mmCIF file of all heavy atoms in Angstrom:
data_model
loop_
_atom_site.group_PDB
_atom_site.id
_atom_site.type_symbol
_atom_site.label_atom_id
_atom_site.label_comp_id
_atom_site.label_asym_id
_atom_site.label_seq_id
_atom_site.Cartn_x
_atom_site.Cartn_y
_atom_site.Cartn_z
ATOM 1 N N SER N 1 -11.538 -8.055 9.479
ATOM 2 C CA SER N 1 -11.049 -8.380 10.817
ATOM 3 C C SER N 1 -9.625 -7.880 11.001
ATOM 4 O O SER N 1 -8.828 -7.891 10.067
ATOM 5 C CB SER N 1 -11.070 -9.891 11.030
ATOM 6 O OG SER N 1 -12.386 -10.368 10.964
ATOM 7 N N MET N 2 -9.339 -7.458 12.215
ATOM 8 C CA MET N 2 -7.993 -7.024 12.565
ATOM 9 C C MET N 2 -7.829 -7.174 14.060
ATOM 10 O O MET N 2 -8.799 -7.312 14.795
ATOM 11 C CB MET N 2 -7.741 -5.594 12.111
ATOM 12 C CG MET N 2 -8.646 -4.565 12.727
ATOM 13 S SD MET N 2 -8.450 -2.966 11.965
ATOM 14 C CE MET N 2 -10.111 -2.697 11.416
ATOM 15 N N LEU N 3 -6.615 -7.148 14.496
ATOM 16 C CA LEU N 3 -6.312 -7.206 15.920
ATOM 17 C C LEU N 3 -6.187 -5.774 16.419
ATOM 18 O O LEU N 3 -5.420 -4.982 15.864
ATOM 19 C CB LEU N 3 -5.006 -7.968 16.149
ATOM 20 C CG LEU N 3 -4.532 -8.092 17.591
ATOM 21 C CD1 LEU N 3 -5.548 -8.855 18.440
ATOM 22 C CD2 LEU N 3 -3.178 -8.769 17.637
ATOM 23 N N ALA N 4 -6.943 -5.442 17.455
ATOM 24 C CA ALA N 4 -6.907 -4.101 18.036
ATOM 25 C C ALA N 4 -6.533 -4.212 19.501
ATOM 26 O O ALA N 4 -7.014 -5.094 20.207
ATOM 27 C CB ALA N 4 -8.269 -3.428 17.894
ATOM 28 N N GLY N 5 -5.660 -3.336 19.946
ATOM 29 C CA GLY N 5 -5.303 -3.339 21.356
ATOM 30 C C GLY N 5 -4.061 -2.530 21.623
ATOM 31 O O GLY N 5 -3.495 -1.899 20.723
ATOM 32 N N ASN N 6 -3.634 -2.557 22.866
ATOM 33 C CA ASN N 6 -2.430 -1.848 23.266
ATOM 34 C C ASN N 6 -1.223 -2.696 22.893
ATOM 35 O O ASN N 6 -1.133 -3.864 23.283
ATOM 36 C CB ASN N 6 -2.443 -1.560 24.767
ATOM 37 C CG ASN N 6 -3.508 -0.555 25.117
ATOM 38 O OD1 ASN N 6 -3.720 0.410 24.387
ATOM 39 N ND2 ASN N 6 -4.188 -0.762 26.221
ATOM 40 N N MET N 7 -0.327 -2.103 22.130
ATOM 41 C CA MET N 7 0.866 -2.808 21.676
ATOM 42 C C MET N 7 2.081 -1.930 21.891
ATOM 43 O O MET N 7 1.989 -0.716 21.854
ATOM 44 C CB MET N 7 0.734 -3.167 20.201
ATOM 45 C CG MET N 7 -0.384 -4.144 19.941
ATOM 46 S SD MET N 7 -0.589 -4.450 18.210
ATOM 47 C CE MET N 7 -2.349 -4.786 18.184
ATOM 48 N N GLY N 8 3.195 -2.578 22.087
ATOM 49 C CA GLY N 8 4.438 -1.847 22.273
ATOM 50 C C GLY N 8 5.313 -2.527 23.290
ATOM 51 O O GLY N 8 5.362 -3.752 23.375
ATOM 52 N N SER N 9 5.973 -1.720 24.096
ATOM 53 C CA SER N 9 6.888 -2.229 25.113
ATOM 54 C C SER N 9 6.473 -1.699 26.474
ATOM 55 O O SER N 9 5.559 -0.874 26.574
ATOM 56 C CB SER N 9 8.310 -1.787 24.790
ATOM 57 O OG SER N 9 8.417 -0.383 24.929
ATOM 58 N N LYS N 10 7.161 -2.144 27.516
ATOM 59 C CA LYS N 10 6.865 -1.630 28.861
ATOM 60 C C LYS N 10 7.068 -0.125 28.913
ATOM 61 O O LYS N 10 6.360 0.572 29.631
ATOM 62 C CB LYS N 10 7.752 -2.309 29.898
ATOM 63 C CG LYS N 10 7.351 -3.734 30.184
ATOM 64 C CD LYS N 10 8.067 -4.287 31.397
ATOM 65 C CE LYS N 10 9.510 -4.577 31.068
ATOM 66 N NZ LYS N 10 10.221 -5.259 32.174
ATOM 67 N N GLU N 11 8.008 0.372 28.125
ATOM 68 C CA GLU N 11 8.315 1.799 28.151
ATOM 69 C C GLU N 11 7.316 2.644 27.365
ATOM 70 O O GLU N 11 7.119 3.816 27.665
ATOM 71 C CB GLU N 11 9.725 2.055 27.596
ATOM 72 C CG GLU N 11 10.833 1.589 28.497
ATOM 73 C CD GLU N 11 11.063 0.080 28.411
ATOM 74 O OE1 GLU N 11 10.687 -0.541 27.379
ATOM 75 O OE2 GLU N 11 11.585 -0.486 29.370
ATOM 76 N N ARG N 12 6.705 2.033 26.351
ATOM 77 C CA ARG N 12 5.776 2.809 25.528
ATOM 78 C C ARG N 12 4.734 1.908 24.893
ATOM 79 O O ARG N 12 5.053 1.066 24.057
ATOM 80 C CB ARG N 12 6.540 3.555 24.435
ATOM 81 C CG ARG N 12 5.625 4.410 23.595
ATOM 82 C CD ARG N 12 6.374 5.254 22.627
ATOM 83 N NE ARG N 12 5.411 5.922 21.757
ATOM 84 C CZ ARG N 12 5.721 6.627 20.717
ATOM 85 N NH1 ARG N 12 6.987 6.782 20.394
ATOM 86 N NH2 ARG N 12 4.800 7.188 19.983
ATOM 87 N N MET N 13 3.494 2.100 25.262
ATOM 88 C CA MET N 13 2.362 1.353 24.708
ATOM 89 C C MET N 13 1.480 2.310 23.913
ATOM 90 O O MET N 13 1.328 3.469 24.289
ATOM 91 C CB MET N 13 1.505 0.757 25.825
ATOM 92 C CG MET N 13 2.068 -0.444 26.473
ATOM 93 S SD MET N 13 1.770 -1.844 25.395
ATOM 94 C CE MET N 13 2.428 -3.117 26.409
ATOM 95 N N GLU N 14 0.907 1.796 22.832
ATOM 96 C CA GLU N 14 -0.050 2.569 22.034
ATOM 97 C C GLU N 14 -1.192 1.667 21.628
ATOM 98 O O GLU N 14 -0.990 0.495 21.304
ATOM 99 C CB GLU N 14 0.615 3.101 20.762
ATOM 100 C CG GLU N 14 1.612 4.193 20.964
ATOM 101 C CD GLU N 14 2.155 4.728 19.651
ATOM 102 O OE1 GLU N 14 1.825 4.181 18.584
ATOM 103 O OE2 GLU N 14 2.906 5.709 19.691
ATOM 104 N N TYR N 15 -2.388 2.233 21.603
ATOM 105 C CA TYR N 15 -3.527 1.521 21.054
ATOM 106 C C TYR N 15 -3.388 1.574 19.540
ATOM 107 O O TYR N 15 -3.167 2.648 18.967
ATOM 108 C CB TYR N 15 -4.845 2.173 21.485
ATOM 109 C CG TYR N 15 -6.050 1.447 20.931
ATOM 110 C CD1 TYR N 15 -6.573 0.348 21.598
ATOM 111 C CD2 TYR N 15 -6.632 1.834 19.727
ATOM 112 C CE1 TYR N 15 -7.666 -0.341 21.088
ATOM 113 C CE2 TYR N 15 -7.716 1.149 19.207
ATOM 114 C CZ TYR N 15 -8.233 0.062 19.892
ATOM 115 O OH TYR N 15 -9.304 -0.618 19.376
ATOM 116 N N THR N 16 -3.511 0.434 18.868
ATOM 117 C CA THR N 16 -3.396 0.400 17.418
ATOM 118 C C THR N 16 -4.095 -0.840 16.874
ATOM 119 O O THR N 16 -4.637 -1.641 17.640
ATOM 120 C CB THR N 16 -1.915 0.448 16.970
ATOM 121 O OG1 THR N 16 -1.851 0.717 15.572
ATOM 122 C CG2 THR N 16 -1.176 -0.834 17.307
ATOM 123 N N VAL N 17 -4.096 -0.971 15.575
ATOM 124 C CA VAL N 17 -4.652 -2.145 14.904
ATOM 125 C C VAL N 17 -3.594 -2.718 13.971
ATOM 126 O O VAL N 17 -2.782 -1.984 13.406
ATOM 127 C CB VAL N 17 -5.942 -1.802 14.120
ATOM 128 C CG1 VAL N 17 -7.063 -1.419 15.067
ATOM 129 C CG2 VAL N 17 -5.714 -0.688 13.115
ATOM 130 N N VAL N 18 -3.602 -4.043 13.828
ATOM 131 C CA VAL N 18 -2.671 -4.713 12.936
ATOM 132 C C VAL N 18 -3.384 -5.865 12.244
ATOM 133 O O VAL N 18 -4.419 -6.341 12.697
ATOM 134 C CB VAL N 18 -1.418 -5.253 13.690
ATOM 135 C CG1 VAL N 18 -0.586 -4.126 14.260
ATOM 136 C CG2 VAL N 18 -1.815 -6.230 14.782
ATOM 137 N N GLY N 19 -2.812 -6.300 11.134
ATOM 138 C CA GLY N 19 -3.338 -7.455 10.416
ATOM 139 C C GLY N 19 -3.398 -7.202 8.926
ATOM 140 O O GLY N 19 -3.076 -6.110 8.438
ATOM 141 N N ASP N 20 -3.803 -8.233 8.190
ATOM 142 C CA ASP N 20 -3.887 -8.139 6.739
ATOM 143 C C ASP N 20 -4.817 -7.020 6.279
ATOM 144 O O ASP N 20 -4.565 -6.361 5.264
ATOM 145 C CB ASP N 20 -4.355 -9.469 6.144
ATOM 146 C CG ASP N 20 -3.297 -10.552 6.240
ATOM 147 O OD1 ASP N 20 -2.107 -10.203 6.412
ATOM 148 O OD2 ASP N 20 -3.652 -11.740 6.138
ATOM 149 N N THR N 21 -5.900 -6.789 7.003
ATOM 150 C CA THR N 21 -6.853 -5.732 6.648
ATOM 151 C C THR N 21 -6.167 -4.363 6.659
ATOM 152 O O THR N 21 -6.358 -3.552 5.754
ATOM 153 C CB THR N 21 -8.038 -5.737 7.625
ATOM 154 O OG1 THR N 21 -8.697 -7.007 7.525
ATOM 155 C CG2 THR N 21 -9.020 -4.636 7.331
ATOM 156 N N VAL N 22 -5.354 -4.136 7.669
ATOM 157 C CA VAL N 22 -4.631 -2.866 7.805
ATOM 158 C C VAL N 22 -3.579 -2.747 6.703
ATOM 159 O O VAL N 22 -3.444 -1.691 6.075
ATOM 160 C CB VAL N 22 -3.980 -2.770 9.201
ATOM 161 C CG1 VAL N 22 -3.205 -1.465 9.353
ATOM 162 C CG2 VAL N 22 -5.031 -2.901 10.292
ATOM 163 N N ASN N 23 -2.865 -3.829 6.455
ATOM 164 C CA ASN N 23 -1.849 -3.822 5.402
ATOM 165 C C ASN N 23 -2.463 -3.517 4.045
ATOM 166 O O ASN N 23 -1.896 -2.784 3.241
ATOM 167 C CB ASN N 23 -1.109 -5.162 5.352
ATOM 168 C CG ASN N 23 -0.294 -5.412 6.603
ATOM 169 O OD1 ASN N 23 0.022 -4.496 7.345
ATOM 170 N ND2 ASN N 23 0.027 -6.666 6.840
ATOM 171 N N MET N 24 -3.640 -4.093 3.781
ATOM 172 C CA MET N 24 -4.318 -3.863 2.502
ATOM 173 C C MET N 24 -4.670 -2.383 2.345
ATOM 174 O O MET N 24 -4.467 -1.798 1.280
ATOM 175 C CB MET N 24 -5.577 -4.712 2.404
ATOM 176 C CG MET N 24 -6.449 -4.366 1.224
ATOM 177 S SD MET N 24 -5.804 -4.917 -0.337
ATOM 178 C CE MET N 24 -6.216 -6.633 -0.210
ATOM 179 N N ALA N 25 -5.193 -1.762 3.388
ATOM 180 C CA ALA N 25 -5.543 -0.334 3.311
ATOM 181 C C ALA N 25 -4.310 0.497 2.985
ATOM 182 O O ALA N 25 -4.370 1.405 2.148
ATOM 183 C CB ALA N 25 -6.177 0.125 4.619
ATOM 184 N N SER N 26 -3.198 0.182 3.607
ATOM 185 C CA SER N 26 -1.958 0.904 3.341
ATOM 186 C C SER N 26 -1.522 0.719 1.895
ATOM 187 O O SER N 26 -1.118 1.682 1.228
ATOM 188 C CB SER N 26 -0.868 0.413 4.292
ATOM 189 O OG SER N 26 0.355 1.033 4.003
ATOM 190 N N ARG N 27 -1.603 -0.482 1.398
ATOM 191 C CA ARG N 27 -1.205 -0.740 0.011
ATOM 192 C C ARG N 27 -2.147 -0.058 -0.979
ATOM 193 O O ARG N 27 -1.719 0.422 -2.020
ATOM 194 C CB ARG N 27 -1.105 -2.233 -0.233
ATOM 195 C CG ARG N 27 0.114 -2.815 0.463
ATOM 196 C CD ARG N 27 0.363 -4.258 0.117
ATOM 197 N NE ARG N 27 1.601 -4.720 0.700
ATOM 198 C CZ ARG N 27 1.703 -5.326 1.870
ATOM 199 N NH1 ARG N 27 0.630 -5.521 2.602
ATOM 200 N NH2 ARG N 27 2.868 -5.718 2.320
ATOM 201 N N LEU N 28 -3.435 -0.017 -0.653
ATOM 202 C CA LEU N 28 -4.384 0.679 -1.529
ATOM 203 C C LEU N 28 -4.069 2.172 -1.572
ATOM 204 O O LEU N 28 -4.180 2.796 -2.619
ATOM 205 C CB LEU N 28 -5.824 0.441 -1.064
ATOM 206 C CG LEU N 28 -6.346 -0.972 -1.256
ATOM 207 C CD1 LEU N 28 -7.748 -1.098 -0.686
ATOM 208 C CD2 LEU N 28 -6.311 -1.398 -2.709
ATOM 209 N N CYS N 29 -3.666 2.715 -0.451
ATOM 210 C CA CYS N 29 -3.267 4.123 -0.434
ATOM 211 C C CYS N 29 -2.081 4.347 -1.364
ATOM 212 O O CYS N 29 -2.007 5.354 -2.060
ATOM 213 C CB CYS N 29 -2.922 4.542 0.993
ATOM 214 S SG CYS N 29 -2.715 6.316 1.176
ATOM 215 N N GLY N 30 -1.189 3.381 -1.409
ATOM 216 C CA GLY N 30 -0.007 3.495 -2.251
ATOM 217 C C GLY N 30 -0.289 3.501 -3.737
ATOM 218 O O GLY N 30 0.483 4.048 -4.512
ATOM 219 N N ILE N 31 -1.404 2.910 -4.175
ATOM 220 C CA ILE N 31 -1.727 2.880 -5.612
ATOM 221 C C ILE N 31 -2.689 3.995 -6.006
ATOM 222 O O ILE N 31 -3.055 4.130 -7.157
ATOM 223 C CB ILE N 31 -2.314 1.510 -6.039
ATOM 224 C CG1 ILE N 31 -3.621 1.204 -5.320
ATOM 225 C CG2 ILE N 31 -1.311 0.418 -5.830
ATOM 226 C CD1 ILE N 31 -4.791 1.101 -6.234
ATOM 227 N N THR N 32 -3.070 4.802 -5.040
ATOM 228 C CA THR N 32 -4.052 5.855 -5.255
ATOM 229 C C THR N 32 -3.370 7.124 -5.746
ATOM 230 O O THR N 32 -2.275 7.449 -5.324
ATOM 231 C CB THR N 32 -4.779 6.137 -3.923
ATOM 232 O OG1 THR N 32 -5.347 4.921 -3.448
ATOM 233 C CG2 THR N 32 -5.865 7.161 -4.081
ATOM 234 N N ASN N 33 -4.029 7.838 -6.641
ATOM 235 C CA ASN N 33 -3.538 9.143 -7.084
ATOM 236 C C ASN N 33 -4.052 10.216 -6.125
ATOM 237 O O ASN N 33 -5.083 10.038 -5.478
ATOM 238 C CB ASN N 33 -4.016 9.441 -8.506
ATOM 239 C CG ASN N 33 -3.412 8.490 -9.513
ATOM 240 O OD1 ASN N 33 -2.224 8.192 -9.467
ATOM 241 N ND2 ASN N 33 -4.222 7.983 -10.421
ATOM 242 N N GLY N 34 -3.365 11.334 -6.054
ATOM 243 C CA GLY N 34 -3.770 12.431 -5.187
ATOM 244 C C GLY N 34 -5.199 12.861 -5.450
ATOM 245 O O GLY N 34 -5.600 13.028 -6.590
ATOM 246 N N GLY N 35 -5.967 12.983 -4.390
ATOM 247 C CA GLY N 35 -7.363 13.396 -4.507
ATOM 248 C C GLY N 35 -8.329 12.236 -4.682
ATOM 249 O O GLY N 35 -9.539 12.443 -4.705
ATOM 250 N N GLN N 36 -7.828 11.021 -4.788
ATOM 251 C CA GLN N 36 -8.696 9.857 -4.964
ATOM 252 C C GLN N 36 -8.911 9.127 -3.641
ATOM 253 O O GLN N 36 -8.077 9.169 -2.749
ATOM 254 C CB GLN N 36 -8.092 8.853 -5.952
ATOM 255 C CG GLN N 36 -8.089 9.299 -7.383
ATOM 256 C CD GLN N 36 -7.508 8.218 -8.298
ATOM 257 O OE1 GLN N 36 -6.596 7.491 -7.922
ATOM 258 N NE2 GLN N 36 -8.038 8.140 -9.502
ATOM 259 N N ILE N 37 -10.035 8.422 -3.584
ATOM 260 C CA ILE N 37 -10.354 7.538 -2.469
ATOM 261 C C ILE N 37 -10.569 6.152 -3.077
ATOM 262 O O ILE N 37 -11.519 5.941 -3.819
ATOM 263 C CB ILE N 37 -11.621 7.983 -1.725
ATOM 264 C CG1 ILE N 37 -11.493 9.431 -1.229
ATOM 265 C CG2 ILE N 37 -11.927 7.023 -0.576
ATOM 266 C CD1 ILE N 37 -12.797 10.050 -0.754
ATOM 267 N N VAL N 38 -9.655 5.231 -2.797
ATOM 268 C CA VAL N 38 -9.737 3.874 -3.337
ATOM 269 C C VAL N 38 -10.071 2.924 -2.198
ATOM 270 O O VAL N 38 -9.497 3.005 -1.119
ATOM 271 C CB VAL N 38 -8.408 3.462 -4.017
ATOM 272 C CG1 VAL N 38 -8.441 2.002 -4.435
ATOM 273 C CG2 VAL N 38 -8.142 4.343 -5.228
ATOM 274 N N MET N 39 -11.024 2.040 -2.466
ATOM 275 C CA MET N 39 -11.423 1.057 -1.461
ATOM 276 C C MET N 39 -11.395 -0.339 -2.047
ATOM 277 O O MET N 39 -11.453 -0.524 -3.265
ATOM 278 C CB MET N 39 -12.812 1.374 -0.923
ATOM 279 C CG MET N 39 -13.924 1.155 -1.922
ATOM 280 S SD MET N 39 -15.518 1.558 -1.236
ATOM 281 C CE MET N 39 -16.046 2.763 -2.442
ATOM 282 N N SER N 40 -11.306 -1.301 -1.156
ATOM 283 C CA SER N 40 -11.324 -2.702 -1.555
ATOM 284 C C SER N 40 -12.735 -3.116 -1.966
ATOM 285 O O SER N 40 -13.729 -2.468 -1.609
ATOM 286 C CB SER N 40 -10.863 -3.578 -0.395
ATOM 287 O OG SER N 40 -11.803 -3.507 0.672
ATOM 288 N N ARG N 41 -12.812 -4.203 -2.695
ATOM 289 C CA ARG N 41 -14.105 -4.777 -3.075
ATOM 290 C C ARG N 41 -14.912 -5.152 -1.834
ATOM 291 O O ARG N 41 -16.121 -4.974 -1.791
ATOM 292 C CB ARG N 41 -13.894 -5.990 -3.967
ATOM 293 C CG ARG N 41 -15.174 -6.682 -4.390
ATOM 294 C CD ARG N 41 -14.886 -7.838 -5.359
ATOM 295 N NE ARG N 41 -16.111 -8.440 -5.818
ATOM 296 C CZ ARG N 41 -16.922 -7.940 -6.742
ATOM 297 N NH1 ARG N 41 -16.620 -6.776 -7.313
ATOM 298 N NH2 ARG N 41 -18.032 -8.549 -7.095
ATOM 299 N N GLU N 42 -14.226 -5.660 -0.813
ATOM 300 C CA GLU N 42 -14.908 -6.041 0.432
ATOM 301 C C GLU N 42 -15.627 -4.847 1.047
ATOM 302 O O GLU N 42 -16.749 -4.971 1.541
ATOM 303 C CB GLU N 42 -13.916 -6.643 1.433
ATOM 304 C CG GLU N 42 -13.393 -8.009 1.059
ATOM 305 C CD GLU N 42 -12.385 -8.006 -0.088
ATOM 306 O OE1 GLU N 42 -11.730 -6.965 -0.338
ATOM 307 O OE2 GLU N 42 -12.276 -9.042 -0.756
ATOM 308 N N MET N 43 -14.997 -3.714 1.000
ATOM 309 C CA MET N 43 -15.620 -2.515 1.559
ATOM 310 C C MET N 43 -16.826 -2.103 0.715
ATOM 311 O O MET N 43 -17.888 -1.797 1.243
ATOM 312 C CB MET N 43 -14.592 -1.391 1.641
ATOM 313 C CG MET N 43 -15.043 -0.240 2.486
ATOM 314 S SD MET N 43 -13.607 0.635 3.109
ATOM 315 C CE MET N 43 -14.389 1.671 4.295
ATOM 316 N N TYR N 44 -16.641 -2.116 -0.586
ATOM 317 C CA TYR N 44 -17.722 -1.755 -1.498
ATOM 318 C C TYR N 44 -18.915 -2.698 -1.343
ATOM 319 O O TYR N 44 -20.062 -2.278 -1.413
ATOM 320 C CB TYR N 44 -17.203 -1.781 -2.940
ATOM 321 C CG TYR N 44 -18.259 -1.521 -3.983
ATOM 322 C CD1 TYR N 44 -18.750 -0.235 -4.188
ATOM 323 C CD2 TYR N 44 -18.777 -2.553 -4.748
ATOM 324 C CE1 TYR N 44 -19.716 0.016 -5.143
ATOM 325 C CE2 TYR N 44 -19.749 -2.316 -5.711
ATOM 326 C CZ TYR N 44 -20.217 -1.032 -5.897
ATOM 327 O OH TYR N 44 -21.188 -0.795 -6.839
ATOM 328 N N MET N 45 -18.649 -3.979 -1.108
ATOM 329 C CA MET N 45 -19.705 -4.987 -1.022
ATOM 330 C C MET N 45 -20.321 -5.110 0.376
ATOM 331 O O MET N 45 -21.231 -5.907 0.575
ATOM 332 C CB MET N 45 -19.151 -6.361 -1.449
ATOM 333 C CG MET N 45 -18.678 -6.421 -2.891
ATOM 334 S SD MET N 45 -19.974 -6.080 -4.088
ATOM 335 C CE MET N 45 -20.884 -7.613 -4.024
#
């Protein structure tokens, strides 16, 4: 689950997603070596 929608300010809005799910994906990317695809157990299951 994540929050999806238009976020930003009156001057600039963007469609994006936020939440723990998004943060986890970013952190998994950080522990990955070049050329690898790492996924969470939740994704695998």
Side-chain angles (χ1 to χ4, degrees):
S1 297
M2 61 189 122
L3 179 62
N6 292 320
M7 295 176 210
S9 67
K10 286 191 286 186
E11 289 79 23
R12 182 174 173 187
M13 283 282 183
E14 289 184 355
Y15 180 85
T16 193
V17 293
V18 295
D20 289 340
T21 299
V22 179
N23 294 340
M24 170 74 77
S26 176
R27 288 187 174 93
L28 290 177
C29 191
I31 62 116
T32 304
N33 294 316
Q36 289 182 325
I37 304 167
V38 174
M39 69 181 124
S40 66
R41 179 176 183 77
E42 290 73 23
M43 193 155 191
Y44 176 75
M45 297 299 285

